[in-house]
Amino acid sequence: MARPDKAAAVAELTDKFRSSNAAVVTAYTGLSVAQLKELRRALGENAQYRVAKNTLTKIAANEAGITSLDDLFAGSTAIAFVTGDPVESAKGLRDFAKDNPHLVIKGGVLDGEALSADEINKLADLESREVLLAKLAGAMKGKQSQAAALFQALPSKFVRTAEALRAQKAEQGGAE
């Protein structure tokens, strides 16, 4: 029979897997408590970094419907549960791993899809959600301005053409 403390830990981890947009599995062997504290700050407000037992984490992930991470639960394992922008947390992990080679990104999951360590690094290379939305808004505004100029050009061109025709007829009528 499962011990109540282990059942509670599995239930908590299952809830974290279900409520997060992304989860990144890392190995942290060799990091000090101070470095782990620094890593938690680097992840930002929208992520929680949690050291967990592999067996309990595997059970919790499976209960949450995530089976693609089973191979990653070996050795020292900690998981970053991301509830906000996954790009910000991926950048925090990547940058921290550059300065601290003991942190190894094993892989993760984003909206139910498995990600390799390389894909997480590519995610970190993206610009933040706010920057991408601002670029999209700028592009849309530019297209709207182009469309407005085009729609405005058609009537003015028609008026100029009609005026040129009128002037030409007036010339021809005056020359006869």
Side-chain angles (χ1 to χ4, degrees):
M1 178 162 219
R3 291 188 359 212
D5 57 334
K6 288 186 179 182
V10 168
E12 182 185 349
L13 286 169
T14 302
D15 184 48
K16 287 193 181 298
F17 273 114
R18 286 185 178 145
S19 64
S20 31
N21 302 348
V24 180
V25 181
T26 65
Y28 65 93
T29 303
L31 292 177
S32 67
V33 173
Q35 288 171 321
L36 287 174
K37 199 173 193 180
E38 182 184 334
L39 172 59
R40 286 184 171 100
R41 275 196 301 269
L43 287 175
E45 298 174 6
N46 299 325
Q48 284 187 325
Y49 193 69
R50 173 98 190 266
V51 175
K53 292 187 176 269
N54 290 326
T55 306
L56 299 180
T57 307
K58 188 184 228 181
I59 293 168
N62 289 332
E63 284 184 12
I66 301 169
T67 57
S68 57
L69 299 178
D70 288 353
D71 297 339
L72 304 179
F73 299 128
S76 64
T77 302
I79 304 162
F81 294 102
V82 183
T83 54
D85 185 12
V87 173
E88 178 185 344
S89 298
K91 283 182 184 185
L93 282 168
R94 181 199 59 196
D95 295 343
F96 188 85
K98 281 181 186 175
D99 297 336
N100 300 283
H102 292 294
L103 180 75
V104 178
I105 299 172
K106 295 180 180 181
V109 64
L110 174 64
D111 293 329
E113 298 295 320
L115 297 175
S116 68
D118 290 336
E119 290 171 323
I120 292 171
N121 285 326
K122 286 179 186 175
L123 182 66
D125 291 336
L126 290 176
E127 294 174 336
S128 71
R129 182 177 187 270
E130 289 77 21
V131 171
L132 291 174
L133 287 174
K135 285 185 175 185
L136 178 64
M140 291 174 71
K141 182 179 178 187
K143 292 298 177 187
Q144 288 175 343
S145 298
Q146 287 175 346
L150 178 66
F151 294 138
Q152 194 175 25
L154 288 174
S156 63
K157 192 170 188 176
F158 174 75
V159 168
R160 286 194 304 269
T161 305
E163 182 61 30
L165 271 172
R166 186 192 62 74
Q168 186 181 20
K169 284 201 180 223
E171 268 183 27
Q172 289 177 353
E176 290 180 11

